[in-house]
Amino acid sequence: MDVLGTALSIEVISRYSGSMGILTEVQGFLVTDAFYTYGNKQMREELVPKLARGELIGSFALSEPCCGSDAAAIETRAERRGGEWVINGKKMWITQGLYADVYIVFTRTGPKEARHRAITAFLVRRNKCIEASPINVMGIRGTGTSELTFNDCVVSDDDVVGKVNEGFKIAMEALNLGRIAVAR
Ligand SMILES: Cc1cc2nc3c(=O)[nH]c(=O)nc-3n(C[C@H](O)[C@H](O)[C@H](O)COP(=O)(O)OP(=O)(O)OC[C@H]3O[C@@H](n4cnc5c(N)ncnc54)[C@H](O)[C@@H]3O)c2cc1C
């Protein structure tokens, strides 16, 4: 569906359930569309059809206890060790975080002072290195909103979404679409 079709669908779904409306937005725009637009061949061919059919649940992990509006200040780090990347840090308010099979995780891959110029997005599959704790929210209680802790999560170059240090653009483009979807 295009943006208008998706926004109208979310509007109708949200009349019956705000949670289902948000889930449609996150799964469709923030996760599936981001993998489709910026992901590599394997992400597009393996993940995108399953996410679109709802066979995989996806989560978009950007916000942190330190930084919500100021997303360029995130502190979750991905460090190069040997030929791999190791992710450590905490994410906050993550929709579907409790149930997700795959996460698009935004990490710092350079000095904090570099802000948006040193953020990289990774595909992280559900794994024992991720602790997900529920957050007892006041409303929209059906979305598995959670705090996520990443403890030495190992990923590879093939899990980079887009390019190293160019993840901030992916987050902003995804949120631009997501905002249209939930604006009404
Ligand atoms: C239902 C729900 C689902 C969410 N799902 C996700 C998700 O799936 N993934 C994800 O990554 N995040 C998610 N979030 C988090 C959301 O992106 C953040 O809540 C949002 O970015 C705001 O950050 P914050 O809560 O830390 O508030 P803050 O950034 O602390 O802002 C608090 C208040 O201060 C104001 N403010 C902030 N900075 C300034 C400034 N410089 N000048 C003036 N005013 C300012 C803000 O406008 C706001 O009113 C979700 C949030 C909600 C409520």
Side-chain angles (χ1 to χ4, degrees), residues 120-155:
T120 303
F122 285 93
L123 158 67
V124 183
R125 293 170 195 266
R126 190 172 193 83
N127 189 301
K128 285 196 191 113
C129 68
I130 306 171
E131 274 171 51
S133 347
I135 299 174
N136 193 14
V137 289
M138 291 174 71
I140 316 183
R141 292 169 65 87
T143 56
T145 303
S146 63
E147 180 178 335
L148 300 177
T149 307
F150 293 85
N151 298 305
D152 284 335
C153 288
V154 178
V155 288

Side-chain angles (χ1 to χ4, degrees), residues 26 30 60-64 67-70 92-95 140:
V26 170
L30 299 194
F60 176 91
L62 174 67
S63 305
E64 299 188 1
C67 334
S69 308
D70 189 11
M92 197 67 180
W93 313 118
I94 307 305
T95 300
I140 316 183

Side-chain angles (χ1 to χ4, degrees), residues 36-98:
Y36 179 73
T37 307
Y38 299 99
N40 58 28
K41 190 166 181 281
Q42 197 198 354
M43 291 169 194
R44 289 173 74 124
E45 289 181 359
E46 184 217 327
L47 294 186
V48 168
K50 289 184 182 165
L51 285 163
R53 288 196 293 262
E55 292 165 14
L56 286 179
I57 295 178
S59 219
F60 176 91
L62 174 67
S63 305
E64 299 188 1
C66 68
C67 334
S69 308
D70 189 11
I74 58 166
E75 294 173 348
T76 292
R77 294 203 69 88
E79 281 172 334
R80 201 78 178 138
R81 284 195 212 153
E84 295 172 320
W85 295 92
V86 182
I87 300 177
N88 281 289
K90 264 191 199 308
K91 297 289 180 180
M92 197 67 180
W93 313 118
I94 307 305
T95 300
Q96 305 203 121
L98 279 186

Side-chain angles (χ1 to χ4, degrees), residues 9-22 181-182 184:
S9 308
I10 290 173
E11 184 183 345
V12 173
I13 292 167
S14 300
R15 283 190 196 145
Y16 300 92
S17 164
S19 290
M20 275 310 297
I22 293 282
V182 293
R184 296 197 42 163

